[in-house]
Amino acid sequence: AKSYEETGWGKNRKVYVEAGIDFNRDFGKHAVTAMALVTGERYTSPGLKYNVPRGYYGVVGRVTYGYDQRYLAEFNMGYNGSENFAPGKRFGFFPAVSIGWVVSNEPYFPKNDILTWLKFRASYGQTGNNGIGLYDAYGAFATGTYHGHTTLLPSAMANSALKWETTTQLDLGMDLGFFGDRLRF
């Protein structure tokens, strides 16, 4: 029987689960939504000579509040885990917050047929990335050649200091609608 490296084909297994709950209610001029989501993914390639299973896990949450379709606020969070990192560094927390003001819904905004939508918005938060390289942290591997075939070979010691790559972002925006919102920017 030929090995995976000799034939170029093999088998793998990926299991993905997701469960969530939503809430959406209006209380007079108040609008509230909430969402919670749990995800999990496990990947393995039993046909590979050096099979290193991978797992990703996460909890995501969002809460929004709106008052009279004029003042808006939102909080998001992600708590994610990856087996790409050594124990103790596998999980990261990534929060974000945003606010908005729909000026065109204010009672004092002049009603007209030219500028029909005006909204200011801002958001600030963090995102995380676990794709820092092939098994860099917990199972270091490198590409090598074995009897003329490219394969994965064990490389240097794993880097247990690696952790989630984090990006902090600030976004400011303005939405405009003209002519009954037929032209939007």
Side-chain angles (χ1 to χ4, degrees):
K2 292 186 176 187
S3 70
Y4 172 80
E5 289 83 6
E6 294 172 335
T7 62
W9 58 269
K11 61 183 177 179
N12 60 53
R13 186 176 324 127
K14 180 178 178 180
V15 177
Y16 179 82
V17 294
E18 179 177 291
I21 187 167
D22 280 317
F23 175 83
N24 188 343
R25 290 272 202 214
D26 290 339
F27 305 97
K29 293 184 177 186
H30 306 274
V32 178
T33 70
M35 183 270 303
L37 181 68
V38 177
T39 63
E41 178 179 311
R42 186 81 169 149
Y43 179 85
T44 184
S45 296
L48 288 178
K49 188 172 185 180
Y50 299 105
N51 176 30
V52 179
R54 296 189 311 260
Y56 306 103
Y57 314 95
V59 176
V60 178
R62 178 181 67 226
V63 176
T64 68
Y65 173 76
Y67 177 75
D68 199 23
Q69 298 182 20
R70 294 184 287 165
Y71 309 110
L72 312 168
E74 181 172 326
F75 174 75
N76 292 284
M77 60 75 68
Y79 184 69
N80 301 317
S82 171
E83 289 183 356
N84 286 357
F85 305 113
K89 295 195 175 17
R90 289 188 173 163
F91 287 88
F93 178 68
F94 308 103
V97 64
S98 63
I99 56 172
W101 177 32
V102 184
V103 181
S104 55
N105 285 347
E106 292 287 355
Y108 55 80
F109 187 81
K111 301 302 176 203
N112 61 78
D113 293 331
I114 298 173
L115 179 59
T116 54
W117 181 259
L118 175 60
K119 177 182 177 182
F120 295 104
R121 55 190 164 84
S123 65
Y124 180 82
Q126 293 182 326
T127 57
N129 177 21
N130 69 335
I132 55 169
L134 183 60
Y135 310 117
D136 286 340
Y138 197 54
F141 279 76
T143 302
T145 304
Y146 179 72
H147 294 292
H149 300 283
T150 302
T151 185
L152 291 175
L153 301 172
S155 71
M157 294 294 292
N159 185 351
S160 63
L162 291 177
K163 59 183 181 177
W164 284 86
E165 176 184 59
T166 303
T167 302
T168 302
Q169 298 174 335
L170 170 67
D171 295 310
L172 304 173
M174 178 174 65
D175 299 343
L176 298 167
F178 296 94
F179 311 112
D181 293 340
R182 288 189 293 273
L183 179 61
R184 293 190 70 118
F185 296 96

